[in-house]
Amino acid sequence: MAANKKILKALKSAITYVDNSMPAMDKKDENSLADSIWHVAAELEYVLFLFSITVRDKVDKSKWKLNPKLKKVELGPTLVTVQDLLNEAEKCTKNEKLLAAYKSAYIARHYIVKVQKEFARNKREALKKK
């Protein structure tokens, strides 16, 4: 049960950072946006670690469908998807449906990693133009 409290606390933190990323995106504040996304990713890594030691052998991640067609990341819709997945993970954790919560958090992390890769690619391209 203590693990569930830690999971919920980290999920709430990740949700707060995703929520904070929206105004930063609207204002085109790249530094604040990148910082928020980094924190979301860090919290999700912690959440996934906690899930992995809580759920252990009950997980077959190979059946969890990620979106392989996500080649070009559209920031706004992707962040909304992450927000939805994190809210779902939080709800499932509160209802003791840890496998469903783990799956939502796992997929959310997949999207956040795509966003981070897109940021890195954009930064490299901007440096090449200088």
Side-chain angles (χ1 to χ4, degrees):
M1 195 60 167
N4 286 11
K5 286 183 181 177
K6 288 180 180 180
I7 291 169
L8 279 171
K9 184 178 178 189
L11 282 170
K12 285 181 193 301
S13 179
I15 290 167
T16 299
Y17 282 113
V18 171
D19 292 347
N20 291 344
S21 71
M22 300 297 186
M25 181 182 62
D26 292 341
K27 293 177 189 167
K28 299 194 182 341
D29 181 350
E30 289 183 27
N31 289 334
S32 181
L33 180 60
D35 185 60
S36 291
I37 297 300
W38 184 89
H39 281 287
V40 172
E43 292 294 348
L44 279 172
E45 290 297 333
Y46 181 56
V47 164
L48 293 178
F49 166 71
L50 292 173
F51 274 129
S52 73
I53 60 174
T54 304
V55 192
R56 294 214 169 121
D57 304 328
K58 302 173 191 164
V59 180
D60 181 5
K61 292 182 202 161
S62 67
K63 290 186 171 68
W64 293 354
K65 296 288 183 230
L66 303 174
N67 188 346
K69 295 177 186 145
L70 189 67
K71 298 281 189 256
K72 179 82 172 114
V73 175
E74 289 184 51
L75 190 58
T78 303
L79 290 178
V80 169
T81 300
V82 169
Q83 202 171 33
D84 293 344
L85 287 163
L86 291 177
N87 286 327
E88 180 66 20
E90 181 183 36
K91 188 177 85 178
C92 289
T93 303
K94 286 179 181 174
N95 293 329
E96 303 281 325
K97 296 179 180 172
L98 296 184
L99 278 176
Y102 190 3
K103 179 180 178 182
S104 292
Y106 181 83
I107 295 171
R109 197 228 17 216
H110 170 75
Y111 283 111
I112 285 297
V113 168
K114 291 273 191 190
V115 169
Q116 288 181 307
K117 284 180 180 177
E118 185 74 12
F119 281 172
R121 190 179 63 76
N122 291 343
K123 195 174 248 184
R124 278 193 310 275
E125 286 178 4
L127 286 173
K128 283 180 187 175
K129 290 177 183 174
K130 286 185 177 180

